[in-house]
Amino acid sequence: MEKIWVITISLFLIITFLFWRLTSGHFKKEYGKKLWKQWGTRLFYWQGAIYTSTGITILIMFLLKCANVLTF
């Protein structure tokens, strides 16, 4: 059971990192330098990143379970 949690948390962190690398430049450019420095804008961005990463992680774990790669 502990192995599943390690896989899930590491998968979540990898997906979050990739999401940040792919989208942070776009959102910084879209909001502008002044607006991006406000905590509300960055909070909104990180909420979206966490929601997206959680959804993708759940989807990947479900697909791995259906393919009988993981058993839990």
Side-chain angles (χ1 to χ4, degrees), residues 5-41:
W5 284 109
V6 170
I7 292 170
T8 304
I9 291 171
S10 61
L11 188 62
F12 173 78
L13 292 174
I14 291 168
I15 292 170
T16 304
F17 176 75
L18 290 174
F19 183 85
W20 171 71
R21 291 293 293 168
L22 293 173
T23 62
S24 65
H26 168 74
F27 283 104
K28 284 180 185 179
K29 195 182 325 177
E30 182 178 329
Y31 286 118
K33 194 179 241 183
K34 184 177 180 181
L35 192 58
W36 184 254
K37 288 186 178 185
Q38 295 178 355
W39 68 270
T41 306

